[in-house]
């Protein structure tokens, strides 16, 4: 497990309730850092932007310093904010991008060996079986974050066959094309 260099600094800001400024996806942001958590091998900050109304998730490995040096910029004084007591932390740390992804939901049908059912359940929360074909099962997975779904399906290697829908298969081919060209 990789630990981001900024983890200790952010944990201190969460503990002292001090705002911080950083660059994320090319945009400077000032946030109230509420809590840090981990999902799989990634670390995330749940924070409220000072001009926002709902907390957001920030992947620690995408957070960059806001200035010219390598440190996060603190803003204001410690104790500058309080975290609401009614925060649903389970919902906030539902970090599976396929659960909250920005893409329109589609049902992806795959065929996989029934023996891999435990691995499938670990990779996808909301899959449902459709039919059995010999030692294989056909399941449908709701995809709300297409890239994440593609990457997870590829982790099964030749043990999974994507059956549809055609628009998802086309997205998968388009995603794989640059990798094929590189070889």
């Amino acid at each position: 497990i990789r630990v981001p260099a900024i983890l200790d600094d952010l944990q201190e800001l969460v503990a002292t309730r001090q705002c911080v400024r950083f660059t994320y996806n090319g945009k400077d942001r000032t946030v109230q850092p509420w809590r840090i958590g981990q999902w799989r091998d990634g670390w995330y900050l749940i924070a409220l932007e000072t001009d926002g109304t709902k907390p957001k998730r920030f992947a620690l490995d995408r957070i960059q310093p806001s200035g010219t040096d390598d440190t996060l910029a603190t803003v204001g004084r410690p104790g500058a904010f309080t975290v609401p007591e009614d925060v649903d932390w389970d919902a906030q740390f539902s970090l599976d991008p396929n659960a909250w992804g920005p893409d329109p939901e589609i049902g992806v049908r795959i065929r996989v060996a029934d023996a891999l059912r435990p691995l499938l359940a670990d990779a996808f929360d909301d899959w449902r079986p459709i039919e059995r074909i010999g030692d294989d099962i056909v399941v449908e997975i709701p995809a709300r974050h297409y890239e994440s779904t593609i990457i997870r399906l590829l982790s099964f290697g030749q043990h999974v066959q994507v059956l549809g829908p055609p628009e998802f298969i086309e997205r998968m081919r388009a995603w794989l094309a640059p990798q094929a060209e590189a070889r």
Side-chain angles (χ1 to χ4, degrees), residues 7-71:
L7 181 63
D8 289 339
D9 293 338
L10 281 173
Q11 284 179 321
E12 178 68 21
L13 296 170
V14 167
T16 61
R17 303 289 186 236
Q18 187 169 9
C19 293
V20 62
R21 185 173 49 249
F22 53 75
T23 300
Y24 193 84
N25 289 338
K27 180 181 173 189
D28 275 350
R29 300 167 191 263
T30 301
V31 303
Q32 299 174 356
W34 286 5
R35 192 172 278 184
I36 295 172
Q38 188 177 14
W39 184 76
R40 296 197 179 199
D41 64 347
W43 291 86
Y44 296 85
L45 170 68
I46 304 299
L48 178 66
E49 288 193 75
T50 54
D51 60 350
T53 58
K54 293 187 339 185
K56 295 182 178 180
R57 299 168 186 93
F58 297 93
L60 266 58
D61 62 352
R62 292 190 196 155
I63 293 176
Q64 302 296 320
S66 183
T68 55
D69 60 15
D70 289 338
T71 60

Side-chain angles (χ1 to χ4, degrees), residues 124-137:
F124 298 99
D125 290 336
D126 298 332
W127 63 276
R128 65 179 185 86
I130 296 175
E131 67 178 300
R132 177 179 291 283
I133 302 173
D135 291 335
D136 295 347
I137 56 172

